[in-house]
Amino acid sequence: ERLPLPVGTQLRSERPPPALGTMRVFAVSDVHVDFPKNRDLVSRIVAHGSIHGEYTNDVLIVAGDISHKMENIRWTLSQFSNVFEHVFYCPGNHELWITAEEKKLGMDSKSKFEGVMETAKEAGALTSGTVIKTKQGNMISIIPLLSWYDGSLYFDYGPEQYEAYEVCTDTRMCNWDTIGNTDIAKNECQTGEANTESDGKDSSSSIQLKKKFDLQAHKKRLGLVTSYFHNFNNSSKNSAGKGENELVASEDLLDDSPGTQDRKPTEMKDPNISSINSTSPTSDSPNKETKKQNITISFSHFLPRKELILGYSSAMLYRRNITWNFSKIAGSAELDLQIRRVRSSIHVYGHSHRNVELNIDGIRYVGAMMGYPRERQAGQCSFSGLKLIWKEN
């Protein structure tokens, strides 16, 4: 039986058709296709694009957390690649979980990451910074930025019953022994079989850690992992693509030229719960410029700023059942510096399952997460279909 789309999901009859030959950029993340309802949503979006040909000149950004299973990652990206001219992708934390079978094969999260990136390319997705010259002559830079979390977005929004770093599912499902000093990981890396009914963010009741948790060693490990991915952004190479719009080679999109570093962000502020109404998600608001539309759009799975955590922290506070502090595992402040180095105008993020949209220091930060079925049902993750973030006039 076909499942109904969420209220507000945009179908062809509800969204004005694009002008002939113009490009649009859509975004989605955290599709978690291990859940049947989410897989059905993806199938219906793809079926709609296939039947109506709506996305044949468009770009889709997929900002991580498709699945921890390689076959599901391949299926999802292949499906999207069949209906979009270009699909861009970066992995999230779920992709790098090590299953029991992968553990038997000697795989760790670093090698899993390498396999995920290769699978994505085989499925038709672009995984590194690329400039698209459109039929209208506009230059659109799409830049995936890899990251992890290092505690730099931490703020205190209430008492904690559990230590976030210890109960987070990543702690037992990821293995980073091959990054940095392997001695660091001896007391804090766990592996097991993934539970797809767990959200990886609030599963403390079901976690049984087998070893004594070394908090300081774990935090040091996370810093090394975050640095590994940020350094990867500096060395990534352009991928080949398909379609009628021209792909322009662009290997050095992280700009260190004079003046670039002057574009520094204002000091991040701890989200204020009283300001939730002024920072709630906005409706689709793609660009409105009429002049030449050269633009840079970056995306990451993890959050680059504290302010974007507001939707998650306020929901936790209002439910009055805080178990641990999500901000510790939200993302990295260093990521925001890389966003500014590529001179991004729009940045898409995921991970939090709370679709906050904010304009900060000239950059539009957009959440486009599908989230878990129970979160959509509870109104915690406001997903209404693929997010239109930019379009040519």
Side-chain angles (χ1 to χ4, degrees):
E1 181 181 359
R2 294 181 63 81
L3 299 169
L5 288 170
V7 175
T9 298
Q10 295 175 321
L11 298 177
R12 182 179 176 84
S13 59
E14 298 169 348
R15 181 192 290 128
L20 185 63
T22 60
M23 174 177 283
R24 300 173 298 175
V25 179
F26 292 87
V28 71
S29 74
D30 298 81
V31 295
H32 295 289
V33 297
D34 302 293
F35 291 93
K37 290 183 179 180
N38 285 22
R39 190 180 182 96
D40 186 76
L41 277 175
V42 170
S43 294
R44 297 185 67 183
I45 290 170
V46 171
H48 168 73
S50 179
I51 293 170
H52 299 289
E54 180 179 350
Y55 307 122
T56 55
N57 200 52
D58 296 332
V59 170
L60 177 65
I61 289 170
V62 183
D65 270 14
I66 293 174
S67 171
H68 63 286
K69 297 179 180 179
M70 203 73 80
E71 62 268 25
N72 287 343
I73 298 170
R74 184 187 301 275
W75 176 84
T76 302
L77 293 176
S78 296
Q79 290 291 303
F80 284 140
S81 294
N82 285 338
V83 294
F84 281 88
E85 182 169 13
H86 302 297
V87 173
F88 286 82
Y89 167 74
C90 72
N93 52 311
H94 281 235
E95 278 91 339
L96 306 187
W97 289 359
I98 304 301
T99 66
E101 189 62 32
E102 289 167 340
K103 183 182 179 182
K104 292 177 182 177
L105 297 174
M107 187 177 291
D108 65 2
S109 293
K110 182 174 179 289
S111 58
K112 176 79 175 282
F113 161 69
E114 294 167 352
V116 166
M117 296 291 273
E118 187 61 33
T119 296
K121 294 174 184 177
E122 292 172 357
L126 295 160
T127 59
S128 57
T130 304
V131 181
I132 304 172
K133 183 177 181 181
T134 73
K135 299 173 186 176
Q136 306 297 319
N138 296 307
M139 304 292 283
I140 316 301
S141 300
I142 309 288
I143 305 176
L145 293 174
L146 301 169
S147 189
W148 201 254
Y149 46 85
D150 57 10
S152 58
L153 300 185
Y154 169 77
F155 69 96
D156 184 4
Y157 59 75
E160 296 179 76
Q161 185 178 0
Y162 300 97
E163 170 54 56
Y165 295 119
E166 183 172 9
V167 300
C168 178
T169 307
D170 296 343
T171 302
R172 62 191 175 92
M173 293 303 302
C174 292
N175 185 327
W176 298 109
D177 286 5
T178 54
I179 292 182
N181 185 353
T182 56
D183 291 337
I184 295 175
K186 286 182 178 179
N187 293 326
E188 46 87 11
C189 272
Q190 315 291 330
T191 33
E193 183 57 74
N195 175 10
T196 58
E197 294 303 316
S198 166
D199 61 11
K201 301 182 180 69
D202 195 13
S203 55
S204 55
S205 62
S206 63
I207 292 178
Q208 298 293 328
L209 295 180
K210 298 177 181 179
K211 300 178 183 179
K212 182 179 179 180
F213 184 73
D214 188 332
L215 177 59
Q216 294 307 313
H218 186 69
K219 290 170 69 174
K220 186 174 182 180
R221 167 67 55 184
L222 294 177
L224 292 172
V225 173
T226 304
S227 295
Y228 168 78
F229 285 121
H230 290 173
N231 291 335
F232 190 92
N233 293 335
N234 292 321
S235 60
S236 61
K237 295 181 179 179
N238 186 51
S239 304
K242 59 183 177 63
E244 297 181 8
N245 293 294
E246 180 182 354
L247 294 183
V248 182
S250 184
E251 296 187 0
D252 298 313
L253 290 171
L254 281 176
D255 187 0
D256 288 314
S257 59
T260 303
Q261 298 301 327
D262 294 336
R263 192 187 180 196
K264 295 180 179 178
T266 57
E267 182 180 357
M268 294 186 189
K269 299 179 180 179
D270 291 353
N272 184 343
I273 301 306
S274 64
S275 66
I276 186 170
N277 291 330
S278 64
T279 57
S280 58
T282 62
S283 59
D284 282 354
S285 53
N287 56 294
K288 297 180 180 179
E289 299 88 347
T290 56
K291 57 183 180 180
K292 206 68 174 178
Q293 296 174 275
N294 298 339
I295 190 171
T296 296
I297 301 173
S298 59
F299 68 98
S300 62
H301 178 68
F302 294 96
L303 282 66
R305 296 190 66 96
K306 291 181 179 181
E307 295 90 334
L308 302 173
I309 305 173
L310 175 61
Y312 194 97
S313 62
S314 60
M316 293 293 285
L317 284 174
Y318 292 144
R319 285 181 359 228
R320 296 188 300 175
N321 64 345
I322 294 177
T323 56
W324 48 279
N325 190 322
F326 171 74
S327 69
K328 293 180 179 179
I329 63 164
S332 174
E334 178 67 25
L335 175 60
D336 200 51
L337 298 179
Q338 291 199 335
I339 292 170
R340 291 166 191 282
R341 284 178 61 195
V342 301
R343 300 180 180 271
S344 183
S345 296
I346 302 172
H347 183 79
V348 177
Y349 69 95
H351 191 49
S352 65
H353 293 199
R354 304 294 185 269
N355 287 316
V356 175
E357 182 174 333
L358 293 174
N359 289 282
I360 304 174
D361 297 335
I363 298 177
R364 178 176 158 223
Y365 297 86
V366 183
M369 290 155 268
M370 182 180 291
Y372 299 118
R374 64 176 178 274
E375 292 172 319
R376 296 195 300 274
Q377 185 176 5
Q380 296 166 352
C381 188
S382 54
F383 180 76
S384 58
L386 300 178
K387 180 78 172 181
L388 176 61
I389 63 170
W390 184 88
K391 65 179 180 179
E392 285 185 299
N393 293 322

